[in-house]
Amino acid sequence: MAARIYQRPQNAMQSGKARTDEWVLEFEQSEARQADPLMGWSGSADTQAQVILTFPDKDAAKAYAAKYGIAARVHATPPHTLKLQAYADNFR
C-alpha cells in the first residue's frame, strides 16, 4: 500500500488561502479504473483511493505513515513566486 504526502495547493478559482497549511496523505490506486458498460462511468473496487487524510504538518503525516507501515513519498511544495508588475508596464 503506497501513499503520497503533499501540502494542499491554493485553490486556482479563488484568491483565499484557506486550508493551504494542511498536509494531505493520499493513497495511490492499486488497480486500474475500468469503464462501466452500462453508464460509462469509470471506477474500480479499490476503496483506499477514496481515503484522504489531513494533518497539521508534514511530520505528523510521516509519523502516521510510519506507525501503520505505509510506504509514503513526500512531495515537496514548490516555491511561491510573485510576478511583480506595475500598471504602467501594460503601456510599454
Side-chain angles (χ1 to χ4, degrees):
M1 180 169 33
R4 64 186 186 121
I5 298 172
Y6 61 93
Q7 192 169 14
R8 191 182 299 265
Q10 182 178 354
N11 188 350
M13 299 301 210
Q14 298 177 355
S15 62
K17 296 185 179 185
R19 300 177 66 183
T20 57
D21 55 344
E22 292 180 346
W23 285 82
V24 177
L25 185 138
E26 186 176 56
F27 292 98
E28 295 176 355
Q29 290 187 347
S30 62
E31 63 181 47
R33 293 181 161 275
Q34 298 174 353
D36 182 67
L38 179 62
M39 298 297 290
W41 297 341
S42 63
S44 69
D46 180 24
T47 57
Q48 286 287 43
Q50 300 173 6
V51 177
I52 297 174
L53 302 172
T54 58
F55 297 93
D57 58 355
K58 178 173 58 170
D59 296 329
K62 288 170 59 176
Y64 179 87
K67 179 180 178 181
Y68 291 102
I70 301 168
R73 291 180 287 132
V74 178
H75 294 275
T77 305
H80 183 68
T81 57
L82 294 175
K83 180 181 176 186
L84 299 176
Q85 184 176 357
Y87 179 69
D89 292 342
N90 294 332
F91 303 103
R92 286 190 182 173

